[in-house]
Amino acid sequence: MHYTSALLLCFFLVVSNPDGRSVVHAQSLPKLPPLSLIFRQADQEKRPANMDSILREIHRVRQQLHNAPPSIRKDSLQLASLAMLCDLYCLTRNPYQHPHSAARYAQLMIELAKKTRQPEKEAEGYVHLGEAMDDKQDYAKAFEYHQKSLDICQKLNNNRTIALQSELLSAIANYHGMMSDTAQAIKHQISALRLLETHYQTSKNAELLPDLYNRYELLARLYNDFGMPRLALQCFRKIRPVYEQQQLAFGLANIGQHEANSWLQLYQPRKAIQLLQNAAVYYERTGNSTKMKRCWAWLGKSHFDLKQYAVAIDYSKQAIGNDPTQCNCQKMAYQVLYLAYQHVGMPDSSQRYAGLYATLQAESQSAQRQIQFLLIKSQFRKEQEINRLQAENLNHDQRLINVLMAAVLLLTFAGGSLGWYYRKVKQQNSKLEQKQKEIEEAMFKGQTIERKRVAADLHDNLGSLLAASRMSLQSIDPQKLSSKEQTVYAHILDMLREVGHQIRTLSHSMLPASLENKGLAAALEELVEQLNLGKQTHFTLHTHDFDRNPDK
């Protein structure tokens, strides 16, 4: 996986300055060697790249950057140089391949990314660290670092980390493959491919194409590992024309050995031998001993399938060489050797290689158990995190429910208080209205009594006095009076008669008999009848729904 990412390294000029660091013009800082161009030229010329020159140039740039003043551009170049060193020390085409050095530079990259607050570069640093652990065959730590990088990318959730997320999904698919978890391995690898494919279709960024072809290659290798060679060949057919058009000899040699695996599974070892021999010639010419030993191991397996046991033993021994740890296919080589020696009748040699094969098989199973444990542990952590978030959401919802319940209770109390206050006020208003009515009735009764008294006084006292005065005057004989006195006498009688009439009218008006006996409506009707006697103005009285009860 990591040999492809080395072809895509690039750097960019930062125009923002969030940390207040000085921005230095690009010309004042050294430039890193263009690895992509260097490897392309070497592939086209079918020669090894000059790793001594590349490493020397990168270390020279790093020394100049160390003496340069602080700047955002300097931080970017330092991170890019560390990423280059991680890739180079993990490359199988590098004769100085050294996973420990790659791990050391990856740690420096992570520390610098944290210091400069660049989480994307921090995630990339964990990828390099995971790849270094993978090369050291420490698969437990490799999986842990890849998972940590994926967690950072998923938290960032932006387009700049999509390619990295795709690479990480591929790595995790590889670990599932090591545990023989076919479904999860293929699922993660297809997810990695679709993620990068969708991003390329959206962005049309040509720099994503090498990674996209690499995902097809990794998917094909998984199909091979799980016994689906025809699906693997379909993936290889998508990649090969592109590599041939671009004259990528390294890529053609790399997929050639994996295509050979597909043909071996389809029981066509001769096609596999042709592909492997072409790849071995390229690796021998470019000095890539690790890849060349892999081809020899596969050639041993191919000749064993053709029952050419002597040739199979020869290729398998070349694959192991003097240092078996440098052969990443030594388990297959040991298996071919113990089976081939068994067929040629050399049981001692067969038994020796059978023991070595069994040891590697046990180590592989132990690695599988470690990765399986880490997957379970990772899943457990995720479930814990999900449970924690759910608990926080539940607590938040509970607090919200409590607040709403308190608000409802408060509103209920306020509504009850207002209702009680309204009823209290209504009762008080009713009592006041009752009091007011009683007062009005008492006043009316008092006025009625007072009218009766005044009317009685006018009628009884004053009326009696006027009647007595009139009777006294009438006792005078008018014949004995002079004509003038008779005139005065007659006038006085008329005046007394008029006063008596006025007193009776006033007494009757203050408390009419009809008002007391028949009620207000009947009294008003009699009044209207009297007013209409004049025939000058006509009055009309409307007494609908009027209470005629004189007691009310």
Side-chain angles (χ1 to χ4, degrees):
M1 185 190 311
H2 43 264
Y3 60 80
T4 303
S5 59
L7 302 177
L8 298 175
L9 290 171
C10 62
F11 49 87
F12 53 90
L13 180 61
V14 181
V15 296
S16 60
N17 189 9
D19 298 327
R21 300 167 69 85
S22 61
V23 179
V24 180
H25 196 272
Q27 294 181 353
S28 64
L29 291 173
K31 293 183 179 180
L32 289 166
L35 289 186
S36 179
L37 180 61
I38 292 171
F39 287 136
R40 177 181 285 275
Q41 289 177 348
D43 287 343
Q44 289 175 349
E45 297 171 8
K46 296 183 179 179
R47 60 172 177 81
N50 191 340
M51 291 296 175
D52 286 325
S53 175
I54 294 173
L55 290 171
R56 246 191 336 265
E57 180 64 17
I58 294 175
H59 286 297
R60 184 188 65 80
V61 170
R62 283 183 52 76
Q63 184 61 38
Q64 292 182 8
L65 289 172
H66 180 72
N67 299 324
S71 68
I72 297 174
R73 179 65 171 164
K74 174 185 174 180
D75 294 338
S76 299
L77 286 172
Q78 282 183 322
L79 288 167
S81 66
L82 289 169
M84 282 185 175
L85 290 171
C86 291
D87 279 323
L88 289 173
Y89 280 112
C90 282
L91 280 177
T92 55
R93 68 195 298 176
N94 181 9
Y96 305 106
Q97 181 185 8
H98 196 266
H100 294 284
S101 297
R104 181 166 60 86
Y105 288 119
Q107 289 283 9
L108 292 174
M109 184 177 180
I110 292 169
E111 292 173 4
L112 181 59
K114 287 181 178 179
K115 182 180 177 181
T116 56
R117 290 182 289 183
Q118 298 188 52
E120 293 174 15
K121 295 298 180 182
E122 181 186 352
E124 187 180 338
Y126 278 116
V127 171
H128 291 303
L129 188 56
E131 290 172 350
M133 294 298 107
D134 192 271
D135 287 346
K136 291 167 65 177
Q137 297 184 354
D138 190 347
Y139 301 116
K141 286 187 177 179
F143 173 80
E144 182 180 351
Y145 291 133
H146 280 109
Q147 186 64 50
K148 189 175 291 188
S149 178
L150 183 60
D151 292 341
I152 294 173
C153 291
Q154 288 176 343
K155 286 181 181 178
L156 292 173
N157 192 26
N158 57 40
N159 290 333
R160 294 189 299 273
T161 61
I162 287 179
L164 190 56
Q165 288 185 58
S166 175
E167 183 177 351
L168 290 165
L169 287 171
S170 291
I172 292 173
N174 182 50
Y175 297 127
H176 282 288
M178 293 176 66
M179 294 188 305
S180 301
D181 189 350
T182 310
Q184 287 298 319
I186 293 177
K187 174 185 174 183
H188 279 79
Q189 192 60 57
I190 291 177
S191 297
L193 175 62
R194 295 290 177 257
L195 181 66
L196 200 61
E197 203 169 36
T198 304
H199 184 45
Y200 170 72
Q201 292 173 355
T202 305
S203 64
K204 302 299 181 183
N205 184 1
E207 292 182 356
L208 296 174
L209 287 175
D211 278 343
L212 187 59
Y213 299 141
N214 176 252
R215 300 297 175 269
Y216 276 110
E217 180 183 337
L218 293 173
L219 181 59
R221 289 163 62 178
L222 274 178
Y223 284 141
N224 274 337
D225 291 342
F226 296 118
M228 294 179 274
R230 297 187 187 280
L231 292 175
L233 288 173
Q234 288 179 11
C235 294
F236 288 131
R237 289 191 189 104
K238 291 184 178 181
I239 307 170
R240 180 171 285 279
V242 179
Y243 285 179
E244 288 175 348
Q245 182 182 3
Q246 298 181 1
Q247 299 181 352
L248 297 177
F250 178 78
L252 288 169
N254 192 54
I255 66 170
Q257 58 180 325
H258 296 297
E259 279 185 282
N261 184 9
S262 301
W263 290 117
L264 282 174
Q265 294 186 48
L266 293 171
Y267 305 105
Q268 299 188 44
R270 297 190 186 281
K271 286 187 177 181
I273 289 173
Q274 183 181 355
L275 290 167
L276 290 167
Q277 285 176 342
N278 292 337
V281 169
Y282 170 78
Y283 291 136
E284 188 174 9
R285 185 180 300 170
T286 57
N288 193 334
S289 60
T290 304
K291 292 283 187 179
M292 189 167 58
K293 287 182 177 182
R294 178 187 285 271
C295 284
W296 285 340
W298 280 107
L299 281 167
K301 177 70 168 60
S302 302
H303 284 286
F304 178 84
D305 289 349
L306 289 172
K307 298 183 180 181
Q308 299 172 356
Y309 302 121
V311 181
I313 290 171
D314 184 49
Y315 274 121
S316 297
K317 281 189 173 182
Q318 289 185 65
I320 296 171
N322 297 325
D323 186 4
T325 60
Q326 295 299 315
C327 177
N328 51 13
C329 283
Q330 57 179 318
K331 187 170 73 170
M332 182 172 62
Y334 285 150
Q335 184 184 25
V336 169
L337 283 170
Y338 98 77
L339 291 174
Y341 276 123
Q342 192 177 41
H343 280 87
V344 297
M346 298 177 66
D348 293 338
S349 298
S350 176
Q351 188 175 2
R352 182 165 65 89
Y353 286 112
L356 294 172
Y357 172 73
T359 301
L360 287 180
Q361 185 73 8
E363 291 178 357
S364 176
Q365 291 175 353
S366 176
Q368 288 182 5
R369 286 192 294 270
Q370 285 183 351
I371 296 173
Q372 190 171 14
F373 171 74
L374 282 174
L375 284 172
I376 294 172
K377 185 179 178 181
S378 174
Q379 185 66 27
F380 178 71
R381 283 201 303 266
K382 285 184 178 179
E383 289 178 358
Q384 278 188 322
E385 182 67 16
I386 291 172
N387 291 335
R388 184 185 65 80
L389 292 174
Q390 288 178 345
E392 288 182 357
N393 291 334
L394 185 61
N395 291 335
H396 179 267
D397 293 343
Q398 188 62 44
R399 287 195 297 270
L400 183 60
I401 290 171
N402 292 338
V403 170
L404 290 175
M405 288 181 65
V408 169
L409 290 174
L410 184 61
L411 289 173
T412 303
F413 176 76
S417 299
L418 289 173
W420 176 83
Y421 179 74
Y422 174 75
R423 287 194 300 271
K424 193 73 174 175
V425 170
K426 188 175 181 180
Q427 290 175 357
Q428 290 179 351
N429 289 339
S430 178
K431 289 180 179 180
L432 289 174
E433 290 176 357
Q434 186 66 27
K435 294 274 187 187
Q436 181 71 22
K437 188 175 180 180
E438 292 176 358
I439 291 171
E440 290 176 355
E441 290 179 355
M443 290 178 64
F444 180 73
K445 288 181 179 180
Q447 290 174 355
T448 303
I449 292 171
E450 185 64 20
R451 284 194 189 98
K452 285 182 178 181
R453 186 186 65 79
V454 172
D457 289 345
L458 287 173
H459 183 272
D460 296 340
N461 298 333
L462 191 57
S464 300
L465 183 60
L466 287 173
S469 299
R470 186 178 177 187
M471 290 177 65
S472 298
L473 285 173
Q474 286 179 350
S475 63
I476 298 174
D477 186 5
Q479 298 298 328
K480 296 179 179 181
L481 298 175
S482 61
S483 58
K484 184 177 180 180
E485 288 174 346
Q486 287 180 1
T487 302
V488 172
Y489 174 76
H491 183 64
I492 291 171
L493 286 176
D494 291 337
M495 288 177 63
L496 288 173
R497 189 182 299 107
E498 181 63 25
V499 169
H501 177 71
Q502 291 291 337
I503 288 173
R504 283 195 302 272
T505 304
L506 180 59
S507 174
H508 180 74
S509 298
M510 288 187 68
L511 188 62
S514 59
L515 177 62
E516 187 173 4
N517 298 327
K518 300 178 182 180
L520 179 61
L524 290 174
E525 289 174 356
E526 290 183 3
L527 177 61
V528 169
E529 289 177 0
Q530 293 176 4
L531 292 173
N532 288 332
L533 293 176
K535 296 183 180 180
Q536 293 180 354
T537 303
H538 182 75
F539 296 91
T540 304
L541 175 65
H542 299 280
T543 58
H544 298 293
D545 299 329
F546 201 87
D547 192 0
R548 294 176 174 271
N549 191 348
D551 296 332
K552 294 186 178 181

